[in-house]
């Protein structure tokens, strides 16, 4: 099997247009029904805030791969200088079941998350014909930073301003000088929220804090899942999820809307409706759109297949017997 560690995957590099295209292809496969994906279980023990998640899936079509992502999230790790998350993806031959590759790195998971956001932003921009992007990011950890990298790579020529807030100090030392004059570090999350037409939450917050209605016509990418008080979203009619059964649990903002405001599956659209049926084109231009992705194993498998293919083409990685 081919073994790829974090250094190998970084050597492969990030081609954001190709990564987003890979996710879009997988969405269409998902819409066709040529996939298998059980609802992912959460393993908890001792400290209930910690969790290890098993994410198995098969993706058909031209991806044609099966496998599993095994990812841990231990929030207190950051206090002792360790990454919050650790992730391993195993790919199996879909015919024989033989393990064919292992990816030991959090990067595919981070890239998968940002690529789905990139796909959603692309369809949002098509539907709204937005000339200038005012990007807001709450949370400047790895997820927030890779979202910034993705947006600038794909849509940087349309980004007028980037506003960032984090309860910790925001370090911009790794940001290219060509972008720094467009970045503002704000003092509160509200300064970001109210001035953004594309707003992304990438926090590890243990409590909900957003208590204001969103800006008209904005796209809200709720990557961290637990940032909005239900009353802030009660009037939002355009809600997109990746999978209702996955996201309406584990104390997500979607589950809170379900429990407190009666949100149902029928009140939402799926990412497949965005890509395959262009449902965003049906919405009024002033209507905010709330996208809440729990994270689907099919996208992890497709992203892993992408990295393995590129690594083999470039001769990167270690062949294990």
């Amino acid at each position: 099997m081919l073994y790829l560690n974090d250094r190998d995957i970084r050597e492969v590099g990030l081609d954001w247009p190709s990564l987003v295209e890979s996710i879009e292809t997988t969405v269409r496969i998902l819409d066709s029904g040529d996939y298998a994906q059980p609802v992912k279980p959460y393993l908890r023990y001792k400290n209930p805030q910690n969790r290890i998640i098993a994410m198995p899936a098969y993706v058909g079509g031209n991806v044609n791969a099966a496998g599993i992502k095994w990812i841990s999230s231990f929030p207190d790790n950051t206090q002792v200088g360790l990454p919050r998350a650790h992730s391993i993806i195993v790919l199996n031959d879909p015919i024989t079941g033989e393990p064919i590759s292992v990816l030991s790195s959090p990067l595919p998971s981070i890239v998968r998350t940002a690529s789905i956001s990139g796909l959603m932003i692309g369809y949002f921009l098509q539907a709204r014909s937005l000339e200038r992007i005012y990007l807001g990011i709450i949370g400047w950890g790895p997820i927030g930073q890779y979202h910034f990298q993705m947006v600038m790579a794909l849509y940087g020529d349309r980004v007028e301003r980037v506003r960032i807030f984090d309860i910790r100090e925001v370090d911009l030392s790794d940001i290219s000088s060509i972008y720094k004059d467009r970045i503002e570090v704000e003092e509160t999350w509200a300064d970001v929220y109210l001035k953004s037409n594309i707003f992304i939450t990438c926090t590890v917050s243990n409590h909900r804090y957003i208590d204001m209605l969103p800006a008209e016509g904005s796209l809200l990418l709720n990557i961290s899942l637990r940032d909005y008080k239900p009353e802030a979203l009660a009037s939002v009619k355009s809600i997109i999820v990746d999978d209702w059964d996955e996201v309406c649990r584990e104390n997500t903002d979607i589950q809170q809307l379900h429990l407190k405001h009666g949100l149902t599956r029928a009140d939402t659209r799926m990412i497949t409706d965005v890509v395959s049926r262009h449902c965003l084109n049906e919405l009024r231009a002033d209507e905010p759109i709330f996208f809440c992705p729990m994270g689907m194993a099919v996208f992890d498998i497709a992203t892993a297949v992408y990295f393995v293919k590129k690594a083999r083409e470039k001769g990167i990685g270690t062949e294990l017997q």
Side-chain angles (χ1 to χ4, degrees), residues 11 39 43 65 97 114 126 139 143 145 151-152 173 175 180 210 237 246 248-249 251 259 268 286 296:
E11 187 178 350
V39 172
L43 173 65
Q126 288 178 27
I143 299 291
Q145 292 177 43
V151 173
M152 300 311 289
S173 60
I175 300 300
K180 284 188 177 178
I210 298 176
K237 304 302 181 187
E246 285 282 9
C248 190
R249 62 191 184 118
N251 192 34
L259 294 175
T268 66
D286 62 347
M296 297 179 71

Side-chain angles (χ1 to χ4, degrees), residues 19-34:
L19 286 160
V20 172
E21 182 181 1
S22 171
I23 294 296
E24 183 167 13
T25 296
T26 307
V27 172
R28 296 188 187 280
I29 294 170
L30 190 66
D31 197 47
S32 76
D34 188 15

Side-chain angles (χ1 to χ4, degrees), residues 16-183:
W16 288 108
S18 296
L19 286 160
V20 172
E21 182 181 1
S22 171
I23 294 296
E24 183 167 13
T25 296
T26 307
V27 172
R28 296 188 187 280
I29 294 170
L30 190 66
D31 197 47
S32 76
D34 188 15
Y35 76 101
Q37 180 181 257
V39 172
K40 56 193 178 190
Y42 284 60
L43 173 65
R44 287 190 170 93
Y45 53 91
K46 305 290 186 180
N47 187 342
Q49 75 169 346
N50 299 333
R51 58 192 185 272
I52 308 179
I53 309 170
M55 299 177 63
Y58 164 73
V59 186
N62 59 7
V63 176
N64 193 33
I68 186 169
K69 182 173 80 170
W70 181 238
I71 182 167
S72 65
S73 178
F74 282 53
D76 288 344
N77 278 3
T78 57
Q79 299 177 19
V80 293
L82 292 173
R84 179 176 184 267
H86 293 84
S87 175
I88 290 179
I89 300 175
V90 179
L91 294 179
N92 298 78
D93 185 297
I95 297 174
T96 67
E98 295 174 282
I100 56 175
S101 56
V102 173
L103 297 80
S104 180
S105 168
L107 194 54
S109 186
I110 294 169
V111 167
R112 173 269 275 169
T113 303
S115 298
I116 295 167
S117 296
L119 179 66
M120 189 70 188
I121 291 171
Y123 276 88
F124 172 75
L125 294 175
Q126 288 178 27
R128 294 291 166 91
S129 299
L130 202 65
E131 292 185 6
R132 307 309 298 168
I133 295 173
Y134 294 89
L135 177 67
I137 300 175
I138 304 295
W140 194 242
I143 299 291
Q145 292 177 43
Y146 274 92
H147 269 79
F148 169 81
Q149 184 185 137
M150 173 275 295
V151 173
M152 300 311 289
L154 295 175
Y155 312 109
D157 59 333
R158 298 166 72 170
V159 175
E160 184 76 19
R161 185 67 58 189
V162 180
R163 294 181 172 89
I164 301 166
F165 172 76
D166 197 306
I167 59 173
R168 299 183 179 89
E169 183 179 356
V170 173
D171 183 1
L172 299 178
S173 60
D174 291 336
I175 300 300
S176 171
S177 59
I178 64 174
Y179 298 139
K180 284 188 177 178
D181 62 345
R182 286 186 264 175
I183 299 176

Side-chain angles (χ1 to χ4, degrees), residues 290-307:
F290 182 66
F291 179 48
C292 193
M294 187 67 153
M296 297 179 71
V298 290
F299 298 133
D300 289 294
I301 299 306
T303 301
V305 167
Y306 169 87
F307 278 116

